[in-house]
Structures are given as structure tokens and as C-alpha cells.
């Protein structure tokens, strides 16, 4: 059984599709699967934002085939690790958890880089054009830490 990791943001079109593509590129495919979802329902079935697709492509990662979906309570059982992009995603997901085991699967992603600091990956959707570049670099850095940690733990 592969180890399953889920990346979660609000819309599932900007941040979590990037996080999915970046982490998947750092993990061996035979042992790990990576997916993403949004807490909101606006972008179900949509492709990632063009700006996320572009910054990923610039870094040789193809996320253009991903399709948006909404986080579901089934995801707590289906995934081993759930990484959320910001504090608001964290509250939304934790609110849906039924027990402590489910809550323990949920991690604020940048706490892997800056433990206990509860730093958000900023939502680039309405922001400056270079917001996507900034988010890409943050996610690339934290996914280096996550991939090393998970590979070590499950070898
Ligand atoms: P994301 O960004 O959570 O990084 O995918 C957003 C994209 C769209 C919306 C909100 C956040 N929206 O409200 O449509």
C-alpha cells in the first residue's frame, strides 16, 4: 500500500496543486501518492490557475492535468498525511475531524520548516504577479524537508 499525502488549500487551484506537483516530483512513485483538494467548492472540476501552471512549467513540473476537488471527510481515512496551506484551512479541516487520530494527521505545512510558528503560505490568487513565484519557492523548500522526512520514516 502506498503512503498517501494530501495537500489542502481553499480553492484547490493555486497553492495545493503546486504543493501536489512539487512533492510528487521529490518522491518515488511506487511508494508514495500525492493528491490535493480545496476546502471550498467553487473550483470543483477546474484546472489549476494559469499562473500556477506557468510557474510549475518554468520549473519543469506539469500540473496542467490536475482537476479541482473539494476536501471530504473520507480523506481523513484515505490519507496518511494532510498538509494545509494556512491557518484558516487548518481550522476548516480540523472542524470536520471526528476524533484525535484524524486531527493528528493534519499539519500546517510551513511548520515543517518553521516549527510551531504557524506561518501561512499566502494566497496568491488576488495578489501581486510575483506571488506565484514566492509561493512556488516556499513550497519547494518545505517539500524538500517533507520528502526527506517521509522517505526516512517509511523506508
Ligand atoms: P487557493 O487560492 O486556495 O490557493 O487555490 C484561491 C483560489 C480561488 C479562490 C480562493 C483562493 N476563490 O475564492 O475563488
Amino acid at each position: 500500500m502506498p503512503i498517501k499525502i494530501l495537500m489542502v488549500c481553499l480553492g484547490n487551484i493555486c497553492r495545493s496543486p503546486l504543493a501536489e506537483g512539487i512533492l510528487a516530483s521529490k518522491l518515488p512513485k511506487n511508494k508514495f501518492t500525492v493528491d490535493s483538494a480545496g476546502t471550498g467548492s467553487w473550483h470543483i472540476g477546474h484546472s489549476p490557475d494559469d499562473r500556477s501552471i506557468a510557474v510549475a512549467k518554468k520549473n519543469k513540473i506539469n500540473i496542467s492535468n490536475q482537476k479541482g476537488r473539494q476536501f471530504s471527510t473520507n480523506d481523513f481515512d484515505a490519507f496518511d498525511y494532510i498538509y494545509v496551506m494556512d491557518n484558516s484551512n487548518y481550522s476548516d479541516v480540523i472542524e470536520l475531524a471526528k476524533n484525535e487520530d484524524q486531527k493528528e494527521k493534519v499539519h500546517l505545512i510551513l511548520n515543517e520548516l518553521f516549527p510551531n510558528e504557524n506561518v501561512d503560505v499566502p494566497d496568491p490568487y488576488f495578489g501581486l504577479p510575483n506571488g506565484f513565484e514566492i509561493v512556488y519557492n516556499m513550497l519547494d523548500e518545505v517539500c524538500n524537508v517533507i520528502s526527506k522526512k517521509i522517505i526516512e520514516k517509511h523506508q
Side-chain angles (χ1 to χ4, degrees), residues 9-16 42-43 123-125:
C9 64
L10 177 60
N12 193 211
I13 55 165
C14 297
R15 292 166 293 176
S16 60
W42 310 283
H43 298 291
D123 189 342
Y125 190 62

Side-chain angles (χ1 to χ4, degrees), residues 74-85:
N74 296 332
D75 291 324
F76 287 114
D77 296 324
F79 289 88
D80 302 292
Y81 299 91
I82 299 170
Y83 290 104
V84 298
M85 299 298 123

Side-chain angles (χ1 to χ4, degrees), residues 19 24 30 33 94 144 154-155:
N30 58 339
T33 62
I94 287 291
N144 282 335
H154 297 280
Q155 68 192 352

Side-chain angles (χ1 to χ4, degrees), residues 4 6 9 23 26 36 76 117 121 132:
K4 298 184 72 182
L6 182 67
C9 64
L23 185 64
K26 298 180 192 291
S36 65
F76 287 114
E117 291 192 23
V121 177
F132 285 79

